[in-house]
Amino acid sequence: MQSNPLSETAPASTSMPQPSATRSTALSTSLLHVDAHLNLSADVAPPLHVSSTFQYSSDPSKLIPAKDAPLTFDPSTDHIYSRETAPNGTRLEALVTSLIGAPSLAYSSGLAALFGAYTLLNPRKVAITDGYHGAHGILEIFKRLTHLEVIPLSRADELNRGDVIHLETPLNPYGEARNIAEYASSAEKTGAVLLVDSTLAPPPLQDPFAQGAHLVMHSGTKYIGGHSDLLLGVLATRSKDWFKQLALDRMHTGNVPGSMECWLAARSLRTMDVRMTRQSESASALVEWLHGAKNGEGPGKDVVGKIVAEVRHACLQEEAKDQNGWLKQQMKGWGPLFAFNLKKEELAKRLPSKLKLFMHATSLGGVESLIEWRAMSDEKADPTMLRVSVGLEQWEDLRDDLLKGFEALVEEESLRT
């Protein structure tokens, strides 16, 4: 890992425990057992703790003032107030730390985590490309508060020490990847911090730290949660000083997830390895069919070519053909999200209503497949674009559902002419 440009600015200590990132077993095994040391009862399924505050010891000799608090942390006795730590949050962070391979903190949402990152780093400049519009909303707040300058990612070589390269990869809403190692090299030359939003390709698909990232963010609402029933964010760093400062900032801003959300996310992480592998494989198969049919090959070619204008996904990038190239080195699967454009805005608007297996909704990452006419939630989106989040359905069933939708649109178009 590269040196952390701002590591000297953090305080020396905080009472927040730093979970271990060491993993001695495979990812799927670790996500089932790495938190076993936190079990305080015989429950096979970890319990939900709803309390916001926790009793001090009834033994006066064990009462230690906050100013003298030890740096060690005992999860059976040391929880005090849930804005700092709580049983379900501690368990979740142990699991996420094992997942990502670096000490991790949980936040109330992905954007809360991103706000925490920029509060820590407080850069003068940020280089960023298009992508998730919520990230740009966070930067607008900092532009108002600190006169932050935001520049295109293509100008990352203009940054200075302590500035930030904000790299989202794969990129929302297209599911296309960017070269993390290339931007890590740029950050090393300028002294900038490389912040990677890896929401669309969490482990086992991608490890940004292995490519040189300093700070990794996930919207845990998506694949970590995996069931469309919680809001969550995650920040991970290998800098002890950054971790301590992030924990302190989070405690003061109150950007902690609730115990229910932590319990749900911990439940979801048990199956994350198999979910991500299946969803990514299904998305790639669906993309390859759709792209081929658009170009006159395979089932549905006579219909798809009349409707679909463009398909975008990491597996279709030119770099994906190079078995020894950066994309194959960076990703161990192409990700479960992609986008395609239809030939008319009206077609894109109507397609979701023709589908039975895809729910028309925003967000992504759940076990159910979603499709979104992206103009509904992103003011800057191309009105002909649809974003697809592939779930756990059999991919051939999803293909057939899309094909029936395309056929319905073609039939309606023919009746209009």
Side-chain angles (χ1 to χ4, degrees):
M1 177 186 169
Q2 302 170 24
S3 61
N4 290 306
L6 302 184
S7 61
E8 69 274 11
T9 64
S13 67
T14 178
S15 58
M16 177 72 195
Q18 180 167 310
S20 172
T22 302
R23 189 199 308 153
S24 59
T25 58
L27 178 60
S28 57
T29 304
S30 178
L31 292 176
L32 287 166
H33 297 287
V34 74
D35 58 325
H37 66 287
L38 298 173
N39 294 338
L40 302 178
S41 68
D43 301 57
V44 173
L48 169 62
H49 298 264
V50 297
S51 184
S52 62
T53 190
F54 305 89
Q55 293 185 71
Y56 296 120
S57 174
S58 58
D59 182 353
S61 67
K62 295 182 179 180
L63 298 177
I64 303 174
K67 64 182 179 65
D68 301 323
L71 296 179
T72 57
F73 179 82
D74 183 347
S76 65
T77 60
D78 290 352
H79 294 297
I80 295 173
Y81 190 59
S82 60
R83 185 157 43 81
E84 185 174 7
T85 68
N88 293 110
T90 299
R91 183 181 297 275
L92 171 62
E93 287 168 347
L95 289 165
V96 174
T97 292
S98 178
L99 172 75
I100 297 177
S104 303
L105 288 167
Y107 290 79
S108 56
S109 70
L111 289 179
L114 191 58
F115 189 87
Y118 280 109
T119 300
L120 168 76
L121 300 172
N122 193 23
R124 293 184 178 88
K125 284 185 182 180
V126 173
I128 187 173
T129 188
D130 293 336
Y132 178 46
H133 55 88
H136 291 269
I138 294 294
L139 295 179
E140 286 298 319
I141 294 173
F142 277 86
K143 285 168 68 174
R144 188 176 77 240
L145 295 177
T146 69
H147 305 293
L148 172 71
E149 183 181 354
V150 178
I151 63 174
L153 193 60
S154 59
R155 292 168 52 193
D157 58 351
E158 299 177 17
L159 299 178
N160 296 304
R161 182 176 179 83
D163 292 334
V164 172
I165 297 175
H166 183 127
L167 184 66
E168 181 184 340
T169 185
L171 192 67
N172 189 0
Y174 309 113
E176 294 174 334
R178 300 293 181 266
N179 189 338
I180 298 174
E182 177 184 323
Y183 289 99
S185 177
S186 178
E188 187 171 25
K189 291 176 184 176
T190 62
V193 176
L194 178 58
L195 165 62
V196 176
D197 180 348
S198 190
T199 296
L200 299 190
L205 302 183
Q206 179 172 275
D207 178 7
F209 285 114
Q211 306 296 322
H214 294 120
L215 197 60
V216 175
M217 174 231 157
H218 288 268
S219 172
T221 306
K222 312 307 192 289
Y223 295 105
I224 289 174
H227 292 76
S228 305
D229 57 7
L230 62 89
L231 292 178
L232 186 76
V234 170
L235 279 180
T237 177
R238 289 178 172 169
S239 165
K240 292 182 178 180
D241 289 337
W242 281 10
F243 182 90
K244 293 170 184 176
Q245 185 66 65
L246 286 166
L248 193 63
D249 290 348
R250 184 187 66 169
M251 182 182 69
H252 289 314
T253 58
N255 276 334
V256 293
S259 291
M260 182 67 178
E261 285 74 18
C262 292
W263 181 85
L264 286 168
R267 166 220 60 185
S268 299
L269 281 166
R270 310 300 188 187
T271 61
M272 185 162 181
D273 190 20
V274 292
R275 282 190 289 109
M276 291 308 306
T277 301
R278 169 66 179 269
Q279 288 173 264
S280 180
E281 290 174 351
S282 294
S284 296
L286 201 57
V287 166
E288 288 170 3
W289 162 73
L290 189 59
H291 180 68
K294 178 187 78 72
N295 293 322
E297 301 175 0
K301 60 183 180 181
D302 295 333
V303 174
V304 175
K306 297 177 181 178
I307 295 291
V308 177
E310 183 181 23
V311 187
R312 298 178 67 172
H313 186 237
C315 75
L316 298 179
Q317 291 179 236
E318 192 65 28
E319 297 92 337
K321 300 175 183 177
D322 184 353
Q323 296 301 312
N324 299 311
W326 68 265
L327 190 49
K328 283 280 190 178
Q329 297 298 314
Q330 179 174 302
M331 298 190 73
K332 309 306 178 187
W334 301 122
L337 182 131
F338 68 94
F340 62 93
N341 294 70
L342 299 189
K343 294 185 176 181
K344 297 179 184 178
E345 176 182 342
E346 185 62 25
L347 294 173
K349 184 178 181 180
R350 284 158 40 206
L351 177 63
S353 67
K354 308 299 181 186
L355 305 177
K356 304 299 182 184
L357 300 182
F358 291 88
M359 298 183 186
H360 189 198
T362 194
S363 197
L364 56 106
V367 294
E368 64 289 308
S369 291
L370 303 178
I371 191 166
E372 182 186 23
W373 181 40
R374 191 61 178 159
M376 290 293 294
S377 62
D378 185 349
E379 295 178 0
K380 296 182 179 180
D382 184 328
T384 68
M385 184 179 69
L386 293 139
R387 187 183 70 177
V388 177
S389 171
V390 177
L392 291 177
E393 301 91 345
Q394 190 71 20
W395 85 265
E396 291 92 345
D397 292 330
L398 297 176
R399 175 198 62 195
D400 294 346
D401 193 37
L402 278 174
L403 186 53
K404 289 176 182 177
F406 294 145
E407 289 171 345
L409 290 179
V410 169
E411 183 177 355
E412 287 180 358
E413 288 294 288
S414 66
L415 292 175
R416 291 185 178 190
T417 56

